[in-house]
Amino acid sequence: ILSNKKWGLNQNTLGNLYKSLVGSILDYSFPCLNSFSENNIKKLQAIQNAAVRSILKLKYDTPSNIVHHEAFNKLKLLTVSNRLFELSERYVGTGLSHSIPLVERLVKEYKEGFESRHIEYPTPL
């Protein structure tokens, strides 16, 4: 879909297609993806980079940092790791604001783990 020039889709439409078809899978599976190794996150990022290069018609050898910058500026697309962090932060914030027992228990255990080591812990969202 992203590379078919005959369809004549503009970059905004292609970006929205990517977010709908691929981004939604990442979003809905973020609890599982957060346990992925750094190497597997890099593999997902490579897939996203290839899609962004195709959508924005960037050369294959465009450095990743430029691809990430262009993806954010032109498509409002975060890197995979930043998106996972954003979703995790939102999930925990929502859980705390709605008194979800599981989230409350996890935060309590998180605090207790730091307290048992006499380390100051960050304040939750």
Side-chain angles (χ1 to χ4, degrees):
I1 291 173
L2 298 177
S3 62
N4 193 330
K5 292 177 175 80
K6 290 187 270 182
W7 292 9
L9 301 174
N10 66 38
Q11 71 184 24
N12 287 334
T13 302
L14 292 170
N16 287 334
L17 276 170
Y18 174 83
K19 288 181 220 176
S20 297
L21 299 174
V22 178
S24 62
I25 293 168
L26 295 175
D27 287 1
Y28 285 110
S29 59
F30 90 91
C32 299
L33 295 177
N34 276 332
S35 65
F36 269 28
S37 68
E38 187 177 332
N39 192 42
N40 284 330
I41 296 294
K42 285 180 181 179
K43 289 177 184 178
L44 292 173
Q45 186 61 57
I47 293 167
Q48 180 171 299
N49 290 351
V52 169
R53 284 184 178 98
S54 178
I55 292 168
L56 299 179
K57 297 177 178 44
L58 299 173
K59 292 182 179 180
Y60 177 76
D61 59 354
T62 303
S64 295
N65 63 326
I66 293 173
V67 172
H68 301 164
H69 180 73
E70 293 294 306
F72 182 75
N73 286 335
K74 294 183 178 172
L75 304 173
K76 303 299 179 227
L77 190 62
L78 296 171
T79 62
V80 172
S81 59
N82 285 346
R83 180 64 178 159
L84 293 176
F85 179 79
E86 178 186 77
L87 290 168
S88 297
E89 195 173 52
R90 189 182 309 163
Y91 177 78
V92 170
T94 301
L96 290 174
S97 68
H98 291 91
S99 299
I100 296 173
L102 174 61
V103 175
E104 287 179 346
R105 190 179 95 225
L106 291 172
V107 169
K108 180 181 176 217
E109 290 175 10
Y110 174 77
K111 286 180 180 180
E112 289 170 353
F114 278 100
E115 288 169 352
S116 68
R117 291 184 243 150
H118 304 291
I119 299 172
E120 288 195 33
Y121 53 88
T123 305
L125 304 172

